[in-house]
Amino acid sequence: MADGGGWSTIESDEGVFTSLIENLGVKDVQFEELISLDADTIRSLSPVYGVIFLFKWIREPPSTNTTQPLDGTYITSLPENLFFAAQTIQNACGTQAILSVILNQDSPASTPYPINIGPELRSFKDFTTGFPPDLRGEALSNSETIRTAHNAFARASPFVDETVRTAQDEEADVYHFIAYTPVNGVLYELDGLQPYPISHGECDAETFPEKVIEVLQRRIARYPEGETRFNLMAVVRDLRVRARETGDVELLEREGRKRRAWAWENTLRRWNFVGFIGEMIKGVVGMKEKEGPGAYEAWVDKAKQETQKRLLSRRG
């Protein structure tokens, strides 16, 4: 993969992903984290457009068949209306997986509830129609609009440049996002690190919950026993829309509280607290100094003693 090109790492979080696509102009879509691998949970959120799967990247064991993936079938001749982009940069696989669902669910051919992807993404999709996966990946990596929306959720730190890879980063565990979504009656696995989309057979919106769970269970089974570092996110129609349509006041209120919590959490993610903490410490020190000679030193000594007591208590 090429250099990060100004793309920062973002957190796998339902509030982050929902706000990201809303910033791109997508209407009436949200993300819901799934805490269990069962079809009923997915079906309860219907309509579901697809799922985003986060997992620890491991080198797959050598395959005797290098022309096909370990599970499913490569589709070497891309359907005209299937959006699939190669991943050409680091740090953007989360947003790329999101777009792999969103940009394939904007037509009645895929879903009874087509997504309104907004003018920016509509322009991007129309512009890249007919591009091979590698050029689509380059177009995505060079999209200032998409990159700006993505980087709005980067960690706020004056000490870390998220776009620069260090030796420590290279040694750390690597995680990767991929998308599963039904398009034209087929369940596709869309992974920008694969050469082609992967078909997992016939599938529509109705059979998607059972079908995708089967595929995910087979994938997880390839990991060592006890591995739990997975995250699954469903891409669903805004639950507030359903609540208004059905008159479910309780659901509407619950979703309203959740949105307010997401907004608060996203505000905290963007805020750099280093300056605030520095000013707070200076204010406290100033107050102690005003109390008279030796007040600051006595305060520090007392804090050291309390810290020592807590350490001894923990050791005991």
Side-chain angles (χ1 to χ4, degrees), residues 53-57 87 93 174-178 191-193:
F53 183 51
L54 172 67
F55 57 95
K56 180 183 175 183
W57 177 262
Q87 185 178 330
C93 62
V174 177
Y175 293 86
H176 185 52
F177 293 89
I178 58 176
D191 178 356
L193 296 183

Side-chain angles (χ1 to χ4, degrees), residues 258-297:
K258 185 162 63 178
R259 291 293 182 128
R260 290 191 291 273
W262 286 352
W264 174 245
E265 290 165 2
N266 287 335
T267 299
L268 295 181
R269 285 185 178 95
R270 295 188 184 100
W271 190 262
N272 173 13
F273 288 95
V274 173
F276 168 75
I277 294 171
E279 290 300 316
M280 183 177 69
I281 292 174
K282 286 194 292 185
V284 171
V285 171
M287 290 173 56
K288 290 298 178 182
E289 289 178 339
K290 289 179 181 179
E291 291 180 7
Y296 171 74
E297 289 77 7

Side-chain angles (χ1 to χ4, degrees), residues 60 63 65-76 178 180 186-190 194-202 211 214-216 218-219 222:
E60 300 285 7
S63 173
N65 183 1
T66 58
T67 63
Q68 291 298 334
L70 293 177
D71 189 22
T73 305
Y74 282 137
I75 303 300
T76 57
I178 58 176
Y180 292 91
V186 176
L187 174 58
Y188 285 102
E189 175 183 328
L190 302 175
Q194 295 287 344
Y196 307 103
I198 297 174
S199 166
H200 289 286
E202 294 183 1
K211 187 73 175 181
E214 292 173 4
V215 174
L216 288 169
R218 290 198 300 268
R219 183 170 194 121
R222 302 206 299 256

Side-chain angles (χ1 to χ4, degrees), residues 105-164:
Q105 296 291 325
D106 63 331
S107 162
S110 295
T111 173
Y113 303 93
I115 295 176
N116 178 356
I117 62 176
E120 290 288 350
L121 290 182
R122 174 61 61 194
S123 176
F124 172 79
K125 184 176 181 180
D126 290 345
F127 173 71
T128 59
T129 296
F131 282 17
D134 56 342
L135 286 184
R136 269 184 174 157
E138 288 295 336
L140 194 159
S141 68
N142 290 322
S143 169
E144 184 66 29
T145 299
I146 297 174
R147 182 168 61 242
T148 299
H150 171 99
N151 284 345
F153 298 94
R155 290 179 297 180
S157 173
F159 308 119
V160 178
D161 185 350
E162 285 282 320
T163 67
V164 176

